[in-house]
Amino acid sequence: MEDKLERVNKRLKEARDDLDKHLSKAQDEETRLKEKLHDLNERKRQCACTNGNLDVSDDDLIEINAGGKLIVARRGVLCQFKGTNLETLFCGRWEKKLLRDGSGRVFLDVNPKAFRGIVDWLNMMAILSAEEREDREPSVNVEYKYLL
């Protein structure tokens, strides 16, 4: 009986040691990933300092010359869907690099009617509840969907 108990204790110790080794590896990986995230956020901040404006607000009004037509939209409306081209353009990180027209407005060489439709849809999404949003798809032609 003592032999069996000793074997079980030995297996438990080996399992505990193995678990400790995996836990240590996981903690090391977590530390590495946190450091990498910190570095990426620092690079993002430096990029924003160099190319953009750190003092931006979702309430900022952005004047856009879309194919010759003036469209004004709140930054928060344009940036509400994270990871989209519009969010990347208007989040403030690239403010100094955006192409401007003679009046200082952001210039986008796009179909103005299609872009107006996208901005109108984004405005609608901004005022809908999360439940109402789920059933709504952009009503723009497939060729303009890449703008979202």
Side-chain angles (χ1 to χ4, degrees):
M1 185 73 131
E2 263 182 53
D3 249 9
K4 194 174 187 181
L5 184 58
E6 203 172 292
R7 284 193 309 245
V8 168
N9 281 335
K10 183 178 177 184
R11 285 179 42 202
L12 276 173
K13 184 183 178 331
E14 289 171 356
R16 199 175 301 125
D17 290 346
D18 193 43
L19 182 63
D20 287 344
K21 184 170 57 171
H22 286 295
L23 181 60
S24 178
K25 281 183 182 180
Q27 288 170 333
D28 290 347
E29 183 66 9
E30 179 185 25
T31 300
R32 187 187 72 75
L33 289 172
K34 282 181 179 179
E35 289 171 357
K36 189 173 183 176
L37 179 63
H38 175 75
D39 291 346
L40 287 172
N41 284 332
E42 180 59 25
R43 285 179 41 205
K44 186 175 164 181
R45 190 193 67 71
Q46 288 174 354
C47 184
C49 287
T50 303
N51 301 311
N53 181 359
L54 293 177
D55 189 30
V56 298
S57 165
D58 282 350
D59 294 326
D60 292 344
L61 290 179
I62 300 176
E63 293 184 345
I64 302 167
N65 175 344
K69 300 290 181 182
L70 176 63
I71 296 174
V72 180
R74 284 185 323 106
R75 184 181 307 275
V77 168
L78 296 171
C79 296
Q80 66 186 300
F81 294 106
K82 303 303 177 204
T84 62
N85 289 343
L86 289 176
E87 189 262 341
T88 300
L89 277 174
F90 297 112
C91 67
R93 212 170 28 244
W94 302 105
E95 200 77 18
K96 295 175 187 171
K97 296 290 186 175
L98 294 175
L99 185 60
R100 306 269 176 180
D101 68 8
S103 300
R105 297 180 190 107
V106 174
F107 177 76
L108 297 178
D109 190 12
V110 296
N111 180 306
K113 287 182 182 179
F115 191 74
R116 175 82 262 166
I118 291 168
V119 171
D120 289 345
W121 181 80
L122 289 169
N123 274 317
M124 183 178 64
M125 291 294 105
I127 61 174
L128 292 177
S129 70
E131 294 147 359
E132 294 172 315
R133 278 182 170 200
E134 290 178 8
D135 298 332
R136 307 285 176 131
E137 282 292 319
S139 58
V140 296
N141 294 339
V142 172
E143 64 185 284
Y144 300 117
K145 227 176 181 177
Y146 71 91
L147 286 172
L148 290 173

